[in-house]
Amino acid sequence: KHKKMDDIKKLLSDLHSQAADLRNSATMALWNRWYFEAGKVAESDIRKGEGLLHLQQFEDARLHFKKVVETYPNFAEAHNKLATVFFLLEEYENSVTECKVTLKMNPYHFGAWHGMGLCLFKLARYSEAIESFKSALEIQPYANINRKYIATCMGNLN
């Protein structure tokens, strides 16, 4: 258990490295970890749902990820993917809810912080969006997309 936490801490600190290749491999390693958190079957369920998203079968993807979330209620990545589907369906409130569930289980999920920021941005809740993008940046300081959104949000606040 401690070894696992140490590994995660190392990967999170690598996200702050000036070396792009180290940052990239840490990013991939974290995503991999998140995908496999609930085991192989759950991971293949995630991949299957991503296939549906890739084919833009959003309604099917919604039903699929809802099932995955019911089967594995403590699987953060399943909630994150359901949030993604809601975002693509322009159901931003639902997406924010799923992002919050994801972040409660995995506060280091930069993807969920960024996704929640996007939803809040779409909902014109700019101050909240800024906080969300800032949280994503604290974890992944080189993810400049978050800076761009913060600037856009600031512009919309005036």
Side-chain angles (χ1 to χ4, degrees), residues 49 52-53 55-66 80-96 98 115 118-119 122-123:
L52 294 169
L53 287 180
L55 297 169
Q56 299 195 330
Q57 296 174 358
F58 300 143
E59 274 308 324
D60 292 345
R62 177 215 305 260
L63 293 171
H64 177 74
F65 284 123
K66 274 197 162 155
N80 185 51
K81 289 293 181 269
L82 185 55
T84 303
V85 176
F86 283 138
F87 177 80
L88 293 167
L89 289 167
E90 298 182 16
E91 293 181 26
Y92 303 122
E93 294 288 355
N94 287 336
S95 188
V96 167
E98 289 302 321
L118 291 177
C119 292
K122 293 281 194 182
L123 292 165

Side-chain angles (χ1 to χ4, degrees), residues 24-64:
N24 294 338
S25 67
T27 302
M28 293 308 295
L30 284 163
W31 278 113
N32 259 333
R33 194 168 279 254
W34 297 339
Y35 271 54
F36 281 101
E37 228 163 22
K40 276 198 166 76
V41 177
E43 186 266 347
S44 80
D45 281 342
I46 292 284
R47 303 268 181 215
K48 183 184 172 202
E50 280 190 328
L52 294 169
L53 287 180
H54 188 70
L55 297 169
Q56 299 195 330
Q57 296 174 358
F58 300 143
E59 274 308 324
D60 292 345
R62 177 215 305 260
L63 293 171
H64 177 74

Side-chain angles (χ1 to χ4, degrees), residues 121 133 137 143-155:
F121 174 75
F133 290 125
L137 268 178
N144 288 319
I145 185 80
N146 292 301
R147 283 196 184 79
K148 289 184 186 133
Y149 271 104
I150 289 169
T152 306
C153 288
M154 302 279 268

